[in-house]
Amino acid sequence: MSDALFEKHLPLLRQALAAVESRVYWSPFRENLANLSEEALNAGRQAFEAYRDASFYLDQPGVVGRNGAEVSPYGLPLNVSYPVCNPDALIAAARTAMWPWVKAGLEVRVGVCLEILERLHEHGLEMAHAAMHTTGQSFTFAYDYSVGQALDRGLEAVACAHREMKQVPSNAHWTRPTAKGSSITMDKTFTPAPRGVGLVIACSTSPTWSAFPGIFANLATGNPVIVKPHMEVVLPLAITVAICRLTLKELGFDPNLVSLLVDDETRSVARIAALKPDVRLIDYTGGRVLGDWLEESVHQAVVFAQKPCLNTVVVDSTDDYLGLLRNLAGTVCLYAGQLAATPRVILVSREGVKTPDGVVPAEQFGRDLGLAIARVTEDPARAAELLGCLRSQKTVEGIDAARELGEVLRDSTLVEHPQWPTARCYSPLLVRIDTQLPRQFSSQSFGPFVFLGETATTTEALALAERLMAEEGALAFGLYSTNEHVLELAEDISLRVGVPLHLNLTAGVRMNQPAAFADFYGTGANPAANCSFTDSAFVARRFFLVQSQRTAAR
Amino acid sequence: MSDALFEKHLPLLRQALAAVESRVYWSPFRENLANLSEEALNAGRQAFEAYRDASFYLDQPGVVGRNGAEVSPYGLPLNVSYPVCNPDALIAAARTAMWPWVKAGLEVRVGVCLEILERLHEHGLEMAHAAMHTTGQSFTFAYDYSVGQALDRGLEAVACAHREMKQVPSNAHWTRPTAKGSSITMDKTFTPAPRGVGLVIACSTSPTWSAFPGIFANLATGNPVIVKPHMEVVLPLAITVAICRLTLKELGFDPNLVSLLVDDETRSVARIAALKPDVRLIDYTGGRVLGDWLEESVHQAVVFAQKPCLNTVVVDSTDDYLGLLRNLAGTVCLYAGQLAATPRVILVSREGVKTPDGVVPAEQFGRDLGLAIARVTEDPARAAELLGCLRSQKTVEGIDAARELGEVLRDSTLVEHPQWPTARCYSPLLVRIDTQLPRQFSSQSFGPFVFLGETATTTEALALAERLMAEEGALAFGLYSTNEHVLELAEDISLRVGVPLHLNLTAGVRMNQPAAFADFYGTGANPAANCSFTDSAFVARRFFLVQSQRTAAR
């Protein structure tokens, strides 16, 4: 049955392998909501509603209680409780499940992973509602990013894991000539062996998108997974785990290959679980304190970590000034600046921005950018779609702190949401900062604010951008310039600090929306992340190649 | 010119890529000494002699003195002095050399690496003499292992690095349909960027074989390399570095991409260099103390470490008892037990060894193995070829310590070397140990001694083998059995502890001589090594993929 599953999904796998090889556009799981039927939309809404005011069912071992108190940033109380399980019980169950999973072979594992991805896709609408009412993403964005793009990233991880495991044949016939003119033949076998139990610690703003690569890379390479969500953003990953477990069970595998670990009411279990000797892989996305602690304190596990960073844009010159403003405004507004690759600092020379219609003074550029932000957020319905709302009340406080850092060019405003009157929906703040005092703004976390800094020259802006990205880490580096010399300088900086460079983006593509199968997310080269979605190292470090040999029968 | 170099070596690269993909026998750099002309042999000897009683020439920066006091284990004083350089000067020069090397592109780098390997091969005979008179390997073995096999491993690393870097295209044309029925196209470029300066800390018994994978994986992926040899085994790597530098210079690259770092008379510089912030990659083979320290104390660099371990053989049953004895005896005698994958413990059940001619009692098996060792070492000329001699006087003391651990079944004897009367040439000691006291023998380092332990059953032997390998680490696990159930148990153990399994080796192949392109050396799964020659992770962790994108011209 499981072999049949691999055959069933082979066309999808082949397309995924071709896409990562050629890095062309391909997005099998993204769908336009407009193409869905009213019935499907209703069914999705009802499926989501069924989770509310209820105990979430998971037949996991070691249950010691229940916990859960999610409240939607849109104002909707969820009232879902989840089983609290002893981490030791989950780890022991995961280890028991591991060896039969390994022995099933890599193609069976890959087939099961692809089946799980398809089933998650079938539950996409309820997942989108769950993501919306925990992360604050707008429903449209949640369906695209937390479902479609997240599944794409999961599939990419499975395809890369398959590719890496298949680089080595499962067996080989090795014949060496001997000095006496005869030969000796050895039969060799090669098996990818798992590293051990994987712990995936998810963040609160991109719970599925940032967790799926680790979850599926682990499963495909033979490692069981324990998923630890942020306590205020559990539901999207609880649904994920439930579907994984159901699928595994139905296909005859131990459901404890995937389990959910939630905090109890008094303590966070992430650190406790991370230090367990049998946990050998940790995927982490989240704040700096826990990220640094994991990297420094966990020795028994490989830690793949993504932490907060400071993305920078340098504006030098352009042949499409309006396109530049529109693209930057849309980029900083998307999900109210809560994506990790959103630019936080925009640098412009006091010599102004060279355009086909003349030089725009730096001061004017600041006013124009403020107006562009106002324009994309002036219609409340469109603004709500683009901005979503702020996941945490703390992020609202972050706006106030950011306001104190310089001259407010455009203030953040509370946008009245057409459907959800208490939604924390805020447009971005634009603040002119003093580039001589980078410590003041570089430590700000993300949210709906962006800092505009002026430097004497573009060269100085590039140097400051390099320093900020090297010190604080970055996932994206934007440059607007029509000057080939400036482009070359920026390419060198991009290589040196290991940050993807986005040149002259004016329409269609935003620097904080990397595409699965084409774009690497993170490079591993700077403090933003020590890994990349999805390069060879991201999957190859999850398994070992173990071989055996014997003399071949003559 | 450099592109031409890639073209020139492309057939070799293609063969190497095909070999690692299919893992068949291929060994382009191994040669039989018998096929070489007398002139070639003389020239090689003379080239080696020219290094003696002289200052080794290396035009490196930051020279602060000279050091060197190698004495051949065969009794020949070498009297070679090497320049002592300030590590900061070597690191700064390496960083300066790095970016032009990166910009040359991956094919140019790969072409240069292959050219260097060929030139090293041309200097194979002097390298073999240098290896012999530092490591104590016999000349025949040095030419095969420290030259031919070492170059094979270097080529394997270059091929794997090329494969990993080429998995991602250098550029892509990415076209996404838009909602309005048109499309947007982005031009994307992808560049492998180096991690930083690599430090390769070599061991004293396999200086070239264990260092070449790291040196060439680093160079191919754009990272400069500083080679730190063991102070008593400098010459083979000094010749290597000199040939690398000459070739680089001749081809128009900065020779400081490869440099030699030797200790001064008062201190070892390995720890000092390992902590330098610009050192980002460390390849280490050697003792446990420094290895553990590197893994625990170095945070700014990725550490690839190979440390001492305890390889085990379980003898249950066989259909070729004489072949078994001959193979085991030859394996433990090869280079007098100084190879890291040599078995240290042989376990046999008190129920005896089942053979086609009946059961051989455990006690008899011990006597037979002792006799087999005596047989392969009885002719002094052949014994000297097989055993070589002990690199360090400390290893001689290790024999005395090992003798105290149990009943001596066959004593180690000083073999009179036909050519070198003062050579430290010792045959292996065979000691029956108490398997209830594993702590006593498990901590013994390598040398010409092997421990024979008896257990109640084969199952108990397998369980003990698993425990020893999991705790102490192992590179090779041998099993002799004709029982399919026992084979299955052993395969499971091999997977669980991540140790390659060698089944019923009786002729032609020894478990401590893994083949480049076919066999992985180390798995990364147990304390013996946190990496493998050469899997994806070994090369993929040495570079980052940095991309840029811009809207395509319409």
Side-chain angles (χ1 to χ4, degrees):
Chain A
M1 185 187 64
S2 295
D3 280 345
L5 212 55
F6 182 75
E7 291 300 322
K8 172 185 163 192
H9 295 296
L10 193 51
L12 186 72
L13 178 65
R14 288 212 176 110
Q15 281 181 283
L17 289 167
V20 292
E21 195 183 321
S22 57
R23 311 206 82 84
V24 294
Y25 173 78
W26 188 59
S27 194
F29 289 118
R30 288 172 84 177
E31 274 182 326
N32 196 326
L33 276 173
N35 297 338
L36 300 186
S37 69
E38 199 58 44
E39 289 87 341
L41 293 168
N42 279 333
R45 197 174 303 114
Q46 281 161 17
F48 165 68
E49 287 295 334
Y51 292 116
R52 292 183 57 212
D53 303 312
S55 297
F56 195 96
Y57 177 74
L58 281 174
D59 59 337
Q60 296 190 161
V63 177
V64 294
R66 296 193 75 86
N67 190 21
E70 290 153 297
V71 175
S72 166
Y74 290 92
L76 184 74
L78 301 191
N79 275 327
V80 189
S81 79
Y82 304 92
V84 176
C85 298
N86 181 322
D88 290 314
L90 296 183
I91 292 166
R95 278 190 58 85
T96 303
M98 183 167 75
W99 289 108
W101 182 238
V102 173
K103 294 217 164 177
L106 73 93
E107 295 199 336
V108 166
R109 292 197 302 272
V110 164
V112 172
C113 286
L114 297 174
E115 179 70 19
I116 291 173
L117 287 168
E118 287 214 341
R119 296 201 188 181
L120 287 169
H121 189 228
E122 287 163 16
H123 291 261
L125 287 165
E126 70 196 72
M127 291 276 286
H129 284 287
M132 171 187 177
H133 284 293
T134 48
T135 65
Q137 293 162 11
S138 72
F139 183 66
T140 318
F141 184 64
Y143 190 64
D144 183 49
Y145 175 67
S146 289
V147 180
Q149 293 189 47
L151 290 170
D152 282 353
R153 284 284 178 193
L155 174 56
E156 181 190 35
V158 173
C160 291
H162 182 267
R163 179 194 66 194
E164 289 301 316
M165 291 188 288
K166 290 294 275 188
Q167 278 192 347
V168 176
S170 56
N171 48 65
H173 220 59
W174 182 92
T175 301
R176 190 184 69 193
T178 63
K180 292 165 197 149
S182 67
S183 69
I184 178 158
T185 297
M186 306 298 292
D187 280 338
K188 295 175 189 276
T189 68
F190 303 91
T191 308
R195 198 173 264 276
V197 177
L199 174 67
V200 177
I201 304 173
C203 72
S204 65
T205 46
S206 302
T208 55
W209 191 90
S210 61
F212 280 11
I215 292 174
F216 287 97
N218 276 346
L219 272 184
T221 52
N223 301 282
V225 191
I226 295 173
V227 180
K228 161 69 182 73
H230 187 283
M231 207 47 224
E232 292 167 23
V233 187
V234 181
L235 191 56
L237 288 171
I239 296 173
T240 302
V241 168
I243 292 169
C244 287
R245 293 177 64 89
L246 266 173
T247 313
L248 286 163
K249 205 167 182 175
E250 195 185 308
L251 296 172
F253 293 100
D254 189 332
N256 292 322
L257 286 167
V258 184
S259 61
L260 188 76
L261 175 66
V262 299
D263 298 317
D264 66 21
E265 285 180 32
T266 58
R267 61 178 195 178
S268 161
V269 294
R271 289 179 191 234
I272 295 165
L275 292 175
K276 297 285 178 188
D278 285 327
V279 169
R280 298 294 172 87
L281 291 156
I282 296 177
D283 288 85
Y284 173 76
T285 313
R288 187 158 291 170
V289 175
L290 182 52
D292 288 345
W293 179 84
L294 288 168
E295 290 190 272
E296 282 158 24
S297 310
V298 174
H299 301 299
Q300 88 287 355
V302 173
V303 176
F304 300 91
Q306 297 187 357
K307 298 181 293 188
C309 64
L310 191 83
N311 310 296
T312 308
V313 174
V314 171
V315 179
D316 169 70
S317 50
T318 179
D319 54 14
D320 179 4
Y321 186 62
L322 292 181
L324 176 162
L325 292 171
R326 203 165 41 228
N327 186 279
L328 269 186
T331 301
V332 302
C333 286
L334 184 65
Y335 186 26
Q338 295 168 104
L339 293 168
T342 298
R344 181 75 43 241
V345 177
I346 298 171
L347 299 174
V348 61
S349 155
R350 276 188 288 272
E351 295 172 345
V353 182
K354 292 164 265 318
T355 79
D357 302 324
V359 174
V360 176
E363 205 170 299
Q364 179 66 37
F365 172 70
R367 282 195 298 272
D368 290 344
L369 184 59
L371 283 170
I373 292 171
R375 206 166 302 127
V376 296
T377 55
E378 69 194 350
D379 174 58
R382 278 187 53 216
E385 280 296 282
L386 185 61
L387 294 165
C389 60
L390 302 185
R391 208 236 8 115
S392 163
Q393 184 57 33
K394 278 193 192 148
T395 310
V396 182
E397 294 154 21
I399 305 173
D400 296 334
R403 200 179 275 120
E404 301 303 312
L405 295 180
E407 180 196 351
V408 173
L409 297 179
R410 185 190 182 274
D411 206 351
S412 168
T413 54
L414 182 60
V415 176
E416 200 177 315
H417 198 288
Q419 278 177 277
W420 305 93
T422 65
R424 285 191 289 261
C425 184
Y426 287 85
S427 70
L429 170 77
L430 179 65
V431 175
R432 175 186 288 135
I433 40 93
D434 182 350
T435 55
Q436 301 302 309
L437 301 167
R439 285 277 153 237
Q440 290 200 347
F441 57 87
S442 66
S443 59
Q444 288 296 310
S445 185
F446 63 22
F449 39 83
V450 59
F451 303 114
L452 181 67
E454 292 173 13
T455 56
T457 60
T458 291
T459 313
E460 190 192 319
L462 289 171
L464 177 59
E466 177 168 8
R467 207 180 93 206
L468 289 172
M469 294 191 293
E471 285 174 8
E472 306 293 327
L475 290 163
F477 171 29
L479 173 72
Y480 290 89
S481 181
T482 55
N483 179 330
E484 276 304 319
H485 175 63
V486 171
L487 294 181
E488 266 174 45
L489 285 177
E491 303 245 2
D492 285 354
I493 291 170
S494 157
L495 270 185
R496 283 199 297 265
V497 294
V499 180
L501 178 62
H502 303 271
L503 289 171
N504 299 319
L505 299 189
T506 51
V509 169
R510 288 171 181 148
M511 64 187 268
N512 53 358
Q513 282 276 276
F517 307 104
D519 294 327
F520 292 99
Y521 180 77
T523 61
N526 66 63
N530 70 0
C531 60
S532 173
F533 297 163
T534 298
D535 64 8
S536 304
F538 187 76
V539 288
R541 297 185 69 195
R542 295 172 197 266
F543 65 92
F544 308 113
L545 286 162
V546 183
Q547 69 187 85
S548 78
Q549 68 172 348
R550 62 175 90 189
T551 312
R554 290 169 202 199
Chain B
M1 185 187 66
S2 295
D3 279 347
L5 212 55
F6 181 74
E7 292 301 322
K8 172 186 164 192
H9 295 297
L10 193 53
L12 185 72
L13 178 66
R14 288 213 176 109
Q15 281 182 285
L17 289 166
V20 292
E21 196 183 321
S22 58
R23 312 206 82 82
V24 294
Y25 173 79
W26 189 58
S27 194
F29 288 119
R30 287 172 85 177
E31 273 181 328
N32 196 327
L33 277 174
N35 297 339
L36 299 186
S37 69
E38 199 56 44
E39 288 88 341
L41 292 168
N42 278 334
R45 196 174 303 116
Q46 281 161 18
F48 165 68
E49 286 296 333
Y51 292 116
R52 291 184 58 211
D53 301 312
S55 296
F56 195 95
Y57 177 74
L58 281 173
D59 59 336
Q60 295 189 164
V63 177
V64 293
R66 296 193 75 86
N67 190 22
E70 290 154 297
V71 175
S72 166
Y74 290 91
L76 185 75
L78 301 192
N79 275 329
V80 189
S81 81
Y82 305 93
V84 175
C85 298
N86 181 324
D88 290 314
L90 296 183
I91 291 167
R95 277 189 59 84
T96 303
M98 183 168 75
W99 289 107
W101 181 238
V102 172
K103 293 215 166 177
L106 74 94
E107 296 198 337
V108 167
R109 292 197 303 273
V110 164
V112 173
C113 286
L114 297 175
E115 179 69 19
I116 291 173
L117 288 168
E118 288 214 342
R119 296 201 187 181
L120 287 169
H121 188 229
E122 287 163 17
H123 291 261
L125 287 166
E126 71 196 70
M127 291 276 287
H129 284 287
M132 171 186 175
H133 284 293
T134 47
T135 66
Q137 293 163 11
S138 73
F139 183 66
T140 318
F141 185 64
Y143 190 65
D144 183 49
Y145 176 67
S146 288
V147 179
Q149 292 189 45
L151 290 169
D152 281 354
R153 284 286 178 192
L155 174 56
E156 181 190 35
V158 173
C160 291
H162 182 266
R163 180 193 66 195
E164 289 302 315
M165 291 188 289
K166 290 294 276 186
Q167 279 192 348
V168 176
S170 55
N171 48 65
H173 219 61
W174 182 92
T175 301
R176 190 185 68 193
T178 63
K180 292 162 194 150
S182 66
S183 68
I184 178 158
T185 297
M186 305 299 291
D187 281 337
K188 295 176 190 275
T189 68
F190 303 90
T191 307
R195 198 173 265 275
V197 178
L199 174 68
V200 176
I201 304 173
C203 72
S204 64
T205 45
S206 301
T208 54
W209 191 90
S210 61
F212 280 11
I215 292 174
F216 286 97
N218 277 346
L219 273 185
T221 53
N223 301 281
V225 191
I226 295 173
V227 180
K228 162 68 183 74
H230 187 283
M231 206 48 223
E232 292 166 24
V233 186
V234 181
L235 191 56
L237 288 171
I239 297 173
T240 303
V241 168
I243 292 170
C244 288
R245 292 175 65 89
L246 267 173
T247 313
L248 286 163
K249 205 168 183 176
E250 193 185 311
L251 296 172
F253 294 99
D254 189 332
N256 292 321
L257 285 167
V258 183
S259 60
L260 187 77
L261 176 65
V262 298
D263 299 317
D264 66 22
E265 283 181 33
T266 58
R267 60 178 194 176
S268 161
V269 294
R271 288 178 192 234
I272 295 165
L275 291 175
K276 298 286 178 187
D278 285 327
V279 169
R280 297 295 173 86
L281 291 156
I282 296 177
D283 287 84
Y284 173 75
T285 312
R288 187 158 290 168
V289 174
L290 182 52
D292 288 346
W293 180 85
L294 288 167
E295 289 191 274
E296 281 157 26
S297 310
V298 173
H299 300 299
Q300 90 287 352
V302 173
V303 176
F304 299 91
Q306 298 187 357
K307 297 181 294 187
C309 64
L310 191 82
N311 310 295
T312 308
V313 174
V314 172
V315 178
D316 169 68
S317 49
T318 180
D319 54 14
D320 180 5
Y321 186 62
L322 292 180
L324 176 161
L325 292 172
R326 203 165 40 228
N327 186 278
L328 270 185
T331 302
V332 301
C333 287
L334 184 65
Y335 186 27
Q338 295 168 105
L339 292 168
T342 298
R344 181 76 42 240
V345 177
I346 298 171
L347 298 174
V348 61
S349 155
R350 277 189 286 273
E351 294 173 344
V353 182
K354 292 166 264 322
T355 79
D357 300 324
V359 174
V360 176
E363 207 169 299
Q364 178 67 38
F365 172 69
R367 282 195 298 271
D368 290 344
L369 184 58
L371 284 170
I373 292 172
R375 205 165 303 128
V376 295
T377 54
E378 67 196 348
D379 173 60
R382 278 187 54 216
E385 280 296 283
L386 185 61
L387 295 165
C389 61
L390 302 185
R391 213 250 342 129
S392 165
Q393 184 57 34
K394 277 193 191 149
T395 310
V396 182
E397 293 154 21
I399 304 173
D400 296 333
R403 200 179 273 121
E404 301 302 310
L405 295 178
E407 178 196 351
V408 173
L409 297 180
R410 189 197 177 269
D411 206 351
S412 169
T413 54
L414 182 60
V415 176
E416 200 176 317
H417 198 289
Q419 279 176 275
W420 304 93
T422 64
R424 284 190 291 263
C425 183
Y426 288 84
S427 72
L429 170 78
L430 179 65
V431 175
R432 177 186 284 136
I433 40 93
D434 181 351
T435 56
Q436 302 301 308
L437 301 167
R439 284 277 154 238
Q440 290 201 347
F441 57 87
S442 66
S443 58
Q444 288 297 309
S445 185
F446 62 27
F449 39 83
V450 58
F451 303 114
L452 181 67
E454 292 173 13
T455 57
T457 61
T458 291
T459 314
E460 192 193 317
L462 289 171
L464 177 58
E466 177 169 8
R467 208 181 90 207
L468 289 172
M469 294 190 292
E471 285 174 8
E472 306 294 327
L475 291 163
F477 171 28
L479 174 71
Y480 290 90
S481 181
T482 55
N483 180 330
E484 276 304 320
H485 176 63
V486 171
L487 295 180
E488 267 174 44
L489 286 177
E491 303 242 359
D492 285 354
I493 290 170
S494 157
L495 270 184
R496 282 198 297 265
V497 293
V499 181
L501 179 61
H502 302 270
L503 290 171
N504 299 320
L505 299 190
T506 50
V509 169
R510 288 173 181 148
M511 63 188 270
N512 53 357
Q513 282 276 275
F517 307 104
D519 294 327
F520 293 99
Y521 180 78
T523 61
N526 66 63
N530 70 359
C531 61
S532 174
F533 298 161
T534 299
D535 63 7
S536 305
F538 187 76
V539 287
R541 297 184 70 195
R542 296 173 197 264
F543 65 93
F544 308 114
L545 286 161
V546 183
Q547 70 188 86
S548 78
Q549 67 171 347
R550 63 175 87 189
T551 312
R554 288 165 205 205

